[in-house]
Amino acid sequence: MVSEYRSPWMDDELEMFRDAAKRFIESEIVPNDARWREQHHVDRDIWNKAGEVGLLCTDIPAEYGGVGGDARHEAVVAEEMGCHGISSFGHVVHSILAHYVLNYGTEERKCNWLPRMASGELVGAIAMTEPGAGSDLQAVRARAVREGDQYVLNGTKTFISNGLHAGLVGVVVKTDPTKGAKGISIIMVETKDLPGYRVGRVLDKIGQNGWDTAEMFFDDCRVPADCLLGPAEGQGFVQLMRDLPYERALLALGGVAAMEYALAITTEYARSRKLFGQALLEMQNTRFKLAEVKTQVHVARVFIDDCIRQLKDGTLDTVTASMAKLWITEAQCRVMDECLQLFGGYGYTTEYPISLLYVDARVQRIYGGASEVMKEIVARSL
Ligand SMILES: Cc1cc2nc3c(=O)[nH]c(=O)nc-3n(C[C@H](O)[C@H](O)[C@H](O)COP(=O)(O)OP(=O)(O)OC[C@H]3O[C@@H](n4cnc5c(N)ncnc54)[C@H](O)[C@@H]3O)c2cc1C
């Protein structure tokens, strides 16, 4: 590591948890990552393996089968993935869905779904985006109609992370198209053997290619009425807004970990690369560039540590989480660009991890709310 800094929210118990996460990532994920990027998805059994060693649903209470930790445990897993350059494993989205179930599901559903999510039997996904509705969520056209004790779902979703393997999907639908945001609901869909449910293409992206991002089709899919995240219809928009700080903080944290990794490997490379009779690191431009990078990474780290503390205490608000997502993901893209430059032509080959960090970073400014949407949210608080 380039810095001796330790996050104020870390403690000895979390250090042990970090060691376990690190061992798992180094033995089960890193050796497979290149193959996963080629095939555009992880192997399905990695979910069960991660569940077995307690890396899924780490902040879900033990009474529902979770690890019984808090936001810091999720942060440790996200950091360890980030500092190993891993973008293939969609544990963050999985955890976000688990939180929707925990916060808004019926007691019976919580007892059924959460232990299966914690074990990796069910992989979670969140299906908001549609071909005609991304940033503008109110434009979703997927529809759920109540018929007796069931909902009937129709619609098309795209860009869904964990889409290929998803066993449980939180689908954002209109339950009343006349009511705008108040007509939006989230309905949980168990996909196994569900008539009318189909996964479409797994998308070919410029980065994060080990992570299955897929299209989903719902054609007269019938689910029990208690799969509505309630208690009543029309709560979906508010539920999404309430849970977004969690998602945005974890996305930003992944960005910080990736920047720390980039700084470490770039410094090491610059130290060993010789040109014009000296090490690349001895050139003033390199030292100044890396000094700038290190400063940005440290600022990002201190900001995100404060967010993690607030997340743990339940006080992280939408504006602060949006500022973190905005600033850190923009910094991430700048940092990856500066670091790649120092690798020269080698940085442009996939043999050097900096190239993957560079392409993986770009989407961070788009998904989870584009930077422009973050600015709107922050600006509204002025
Ligand atoms: C790899 C990947 C994974 C994803 N995973 C998921 C997932 O798991 N579930 C899911 O539901 N979705 C997912 N998405 C979709 C993602 O959330 C959307 O792509 C994102 O919300 C932007 O929507 P859009 O692509 O339709 O772009 P649009 O909404 O068409 O926006 C295009 C651009 O317009 C600009 N813009 C948008 N809003 C404003 C504004 N208010 N003011 C000014 N400018 C604005 C921004 O520059 C934006 O990038 C994923 C996307 C990718 C690429």
Side-chain angles (χ1 to χ4, degrees):
M1 287 302 290
V2 171
S3 161
E4 294 302 314
Y5 173 89
R6 175 170 139 147
S7 298
W9 47 266
M10 278 301 291
D11 62 22
D12 292 347
E13 185 265 317
L14 283 161
E15 289 293 358
M16 281 164 60
F17 180 69
R18 182 186 292 286
D19 284 345
K22 193 181 167 74
R23 273 197 305 279
F24 180 80
I25 290 167
E26 288 176 355
S27 63
E28 300 289 344
I29 293 189
V30 171
N32 292 308
D33 196 49
R35 186 171 54 79
W36 290 345
R37 283 182 187 261
E38 283 282 312
Q39 71 186 21
H40 287 15
H41 60 84
V42 297
D43 296 335
R44 175 61 182 83
D45 68 354
I46 193 66
W47 286 97
N48 306 77
K49 289 180 182 173
E52 267 166 39
V53 296
L55 292 187
L56 298 180
C57 299
T58 61
D59 58 356
I60 296 295
E63 61 186 293
Y64 296 119
V67 172
D70 55 48
R72 297 170 308 161
H73 292 78
E74 281 298 303
V76 165
V77 180
E79 273 184 4
E80 284 303 312
M81 293 287 175
C83 73
H84 285 85
I86 300 298
S87 62
S88 306
F89 189 56
H91 65 102
V92 169
V93 165
H94 187 79
S95 297
I96 295 166
L97 188 78
H99 271 248
Y100 282 119
V101 174
L102 180 71
N103 294 338
Y104 311 112
T106 65
E107 190 58 27
E108 203 179 323
R109 289 291 174 188
K110 283 195 262 197
C111 292
N112 181 304
W113 285 328
L114 290 173
R116 293 161 69 206
M117 291 188 76
S119 71
E121 179 195 331
L122 281 181
V123 175
I126 303 164
M128 298 181 266
T129 307
E130 300 180 1
S135 310
D136 181 10
L137 256 189
Q138 291 194 38
V140 295
R141 297 182 62 180
R143 188 84 165 87
V145 178
R146 176 93 186 233
E147 282 186 13
D149 58 0
Q150 293 184 321
Y151 278 101
V152 184
L153 264 73
N154 280 287
T156 301
K157 298 289 178 180
T158 190
F159 290 125
I160 309 309
S161 305
N162 296 344
L164 181 67
H165 291 316
L168 186 66
V169 188
V171 188
V172 175
V173 294
K174 286 264 172 71
T175 37
D176 185 345
T178 65
K179 284 193 180 154
K182 290 191 175 140
I184 291 179
S185 303
I186 306 174
I187 297 201
M188 304 297 292
V189 174
E190 262 203 76
T191 62
K192 190 163 188 280
D193 300 327
L194 179 69
Y197 171 76
R198 185 166 65 82
V199 177
R201 286 179 307 149
V202 174
L203 304 176
D204 189 13
K205 311 186 293 286
I206 60 168
Q208 301 198 350
N209 261 319
W211 194 1
D212 47 325
T213 310
E215 300 169 327
M216 277 180 183
F217 300 97
F218 302 87
D219 191 7
D220 282 333
C221 292
R222 289 180 174 269
V223 299
D226 70 346
C227 290
L228 170 81
L229 292 187
E233 289 181 6
Q235 311 278 309
F237 205 75
V238 174
Q239 291 164 348
L240 288 168
M241 292 306 123
R242 261 194 224 136
D243 281 39
L244 277 172
Y246 180 86
E247 170 173 2
R248 289 177 180 154
L250 289 179
L251 288 177
L253 178 68
V256 176
M259 284 193 277
E260 288 169 342
Y261 178 48
L263 174 60
I265 61 175
T266 309
T267 306
E268 196 182 305
Y269 181 81
R271 190 170 283 126
S272 64
R273 179 72 177 166
K274 300 283 184 292
L275 66 172
F276 300 107
Q278 60 188 326
L280 175 59
L281 190 57
E282 286 165 29
M283 294 173 141
Q284 190 186 52
N285 176 68
T286 311
R287 289 168 44 246
F288 280 13
K289 284 293 172 198
L290 288 177
E292 285 169 16
V293 164
K294 185 167 179 171
T295 306
Q296 292 184 71
V297 174
H298 189 70
V299 171
R301 166 53 72 184
V302 173
F303 188 3
I304 201 63
D305 277 345
D306 192 45
C307 292
I308 299 302
R309 180 190 58 75
Q310 292 184 53
L311 201 56
K312 173 185 174 284
D313 297 344
T315 56
L316 183 65
D317 62 84
T318 303
V319 173
T320 308
S322 301
M323 290 193 291
K325 161 90 170 47
L326 170 65
W327 196 84
I328 290 171
T329 61
E330 296 279 335
Q332 185 184 354
C333 288
R334 283 196 304 273
V335 160
M336 296 313 171
D337 189 52
E338 295 288 12
C339 288
L340 189 147
Q341 183 71 17
L342 293 175
F343 277 81
Y346 298 98
Y348 200 64
T349 69
T350 53
E351 281 166 46
Y352 284 73
I354 192 65
S355 64
L356 300 176
L357 290 170
Y358 176 83
V359 286
D360 287 355
R362 186 60 184 85
V363 75
Q364 286 263 85
R365 289 160 54 196
I366 298 171
Y367 62 16
S371 288
E372 293 79 0
V373 175
M374 298 303 98
K375 288 181 196 174
E376 279 292 342
I377 293 170
V378 178
R380 265 182 242 138
S381 73
L382 294 174

